[in-house]
Amino acid sequence: MGKSATLNLRVDPELKQNAEAILSRLGLPMSTAVDLFLNQIVLTGGLPFAVTLPDVPENIDTAKMTSEQIHSKIFKGYSDYQAGKVHDAESAFAEFTRDHRE
């Protein structure tokens, strides 16, 4: 079947650039990748991957917190900062990852 339909999309320029860089490494032009995606939608009868929200621990999931809980956490963080209880980013992320692993 010949290609005659046009698909015009507006996407974030950085996202497009990052995707094109990966597709280039795979030897795929963007149009072929879009064709693959659309074919998979037709073949699977939906999106060809699961679309889910990440599993976030309740103690850091602001979607499950009240405004008071969020403000309390912000206030505690600011109080810790004022008291000099600070960490460099690398150790903070390492601690966060350790404490919030499944």
Side-chain angles (χ1 to χ4, degrees):
M1 183 176 0
K3 294 182 181 183
S4 61
T6 301
L7 186 63
N8 292 311
L9 304 169
R10 290 200 183 277
V11 296
D12 178 273
E14 186 176 349
L15 175 63
K16 180 179 181 274
Q17 181 180 6
N18 291 340
E20 284 176 332
I22 293 169
L23 291 171
S24 175
R25 290 175 57 200
L26 294 170
L28 291 171
M30 181 68 73
S31 61
T32 302
V34 171
D35 279 348
L36 287 169
F37 178 66
L38 295 176
N39 275 301
Q40 286 299 304
I41 289 172
V42 171
L43 290 170
T44 61
L47 291 175
F49 48 82
V51 178
T52 61
L53 295 172
D55 187 23
V56 180
E58 284 198 26
N59 65 335
I60 62 169
D61 187 355
T62 57
K64 296 179 182 175
M65 291 182 199
T66 65
S67 292
E68 292 78 23
Q69 290 170 316
I70 295 170
H71 288 116
S72 173
K73 288 186 178 287
I74 292 171
F75 182 77
K76 182 185 179 322
Y78 186 67
S79 296
D80 286 349
Y81 167 76
Q82 286 182 316
K85 297 178 186 176
V86 296
H87 301 280
D88 61 272
E90 186 176 343
S91 63
F93 282 118
E95 182 180 339
F96 179 85
T97 302
R98 183 188 70 242
D99 292 348
H100 296 93
R101 221 176 244 145
E102 291 183 47

